[in-house]
Amino acid sequence: MGAARKSWKTYTLGAVAVAALLASTACEPGGGTDDKADTTPSASPTAADSATPGGSASPSGSAGAGGSGDTGGSGEDATRACADPDLSVATSVYPHDEVRHLLITATNAADTACTLYHYPRVYLGDETENPLGPMESKPQAVATIEPGEKAYAGLFLFRAGEKTTTVESLGLGYMERVPHSDEEGAPLDIRLPGGTDFLTPGPNPGVTYWNTDLDAVEKFTFAR
């Protein structure tokens, strides 16, 4: 996990009440399907420094450009918001790109599924109050990741020829299902990619929504 920029707010998980079935009630068997397709990343950014130790696995399937959608079979755990203790986060850059774009990779290092809602709250430099805005329209699905699975987000910094500033740190926070709620923790400092000592954002940096489909993330990231 990253180093806190300020104290995290406490995450509280409500207990799930379980009601016993009446013994006299007859039950009929039901069924369901778990539709999930594997995808292969389309590009290979350079190796990144991990912000926390964690597992590694191939990306899960996606439901369009928005994310993985409902993973099925995980009950309430599948909809809880991911928090810093759940995740191993790394950043990486692309070859011959002059650090104009970054890839953020979050691996679920917990024992249960969680959901990366909306987009990462990214803060450049010493900023802690005003995260970057999204680069795309709101997706139709969310990025739910099982233990060991990954989700991605892309960070656009500047276009060639734009006037830039220099920052030496990157902050990252996560959203609840209802964005900008009081339950969201403070941003944490995330390690910059190996060999990168600073970032140079331009006038209009932005971030993509979380997505389990790396191809979709890169599509939106490099659209600028």
Side-chain angles (χ1 to χ4, degrees):
M1 66 188 69
R5 294 190 162 198
K6 60 183 180 180
S7 297
W8 274 90
K9 296 178 182 177
T10 302
Y11 282 86
T12 304
L13 298 179
V16 179
V18 180
L21 294 177
L22 295 177
S24 59
T25 302
C27 297
E28 296 182 0
T33 60
D34 182 10
D35 296 329
K36 198 189 288 187
D38 292 335
T39 59
T40 302
S42 64
S44 299
T46 58
D49 287 344
S50 177
T52 58
S56 178
S58 299
S60 64
S62 66
S68 63
D70 186 3
T71 58
S74 297
E76 292 298 324
D77 285 339
T79 62
R80 72 178 182 89
C82 297
D84 179 65
D86 299 312
L87 302 170
S88 172
V89 178
T91 57
S92 52
V93 295
Y94 291 87
H96 315 297
D97 185 57
E98 299 177 331
V99 196
R100 291 186 292 170
H101 306 84
L102 263 69
L103 179 67
I104 302 170
T105 302
T107 303
N108 185 349
D111 295 330
T112 59
C114 65
T115 296
L116 285 160
Y117 285 105
H118 311 294
Y119 53 91
R121 293 160 42 224
V122 173
Y123 304 82
L124 298 175
D126 296 329
E127 177 65 59
T128 59
E129 298 296 332
N130 300 300
L132 299 185
M135 297 166 53
E136 53 179 301
S137 60
K138 185 177 180 180
Q140 296 180 349
V142 293
T144 298
I145 48 177
E146 298 288 341
E149 291 185 338
K150 300 176 186 291
Y152 308 90
L155 176 60
F156 163 77
L157 291 172
F158 69 96
R159 289 189 181 93
E162 287 185 332
K163 184 177 180 180
T164 61
T165 57
T166 300
V167 298
E168 297 181 352
S169 60
L170 175 67
L172 184 67
Y174 309 99
M175 292 190 187
E176 293 288 323
R177 185 194 303 231
V178 177
H180 312 302
S181 69
D182 292 338
E183 295 182 8
E184 293 175 353
L188 302 180
D189 280 325
I190 301 299
R191 292 178 185 173
L192 298 180
T196 303
D197 297 324
F198 57 86
L199 303 176
T200 54
N204 296 298
V207 65
T208 72
Y209 281 80
W210 288 112
N211 201 318
T212 56
D213 186 343
L214 179 59
D215 289 342
V217 168
E218 291 175 337
K219 172 186 174 182
F220 286 111
T221 304
F222 283 91
R224 288 194 180 181

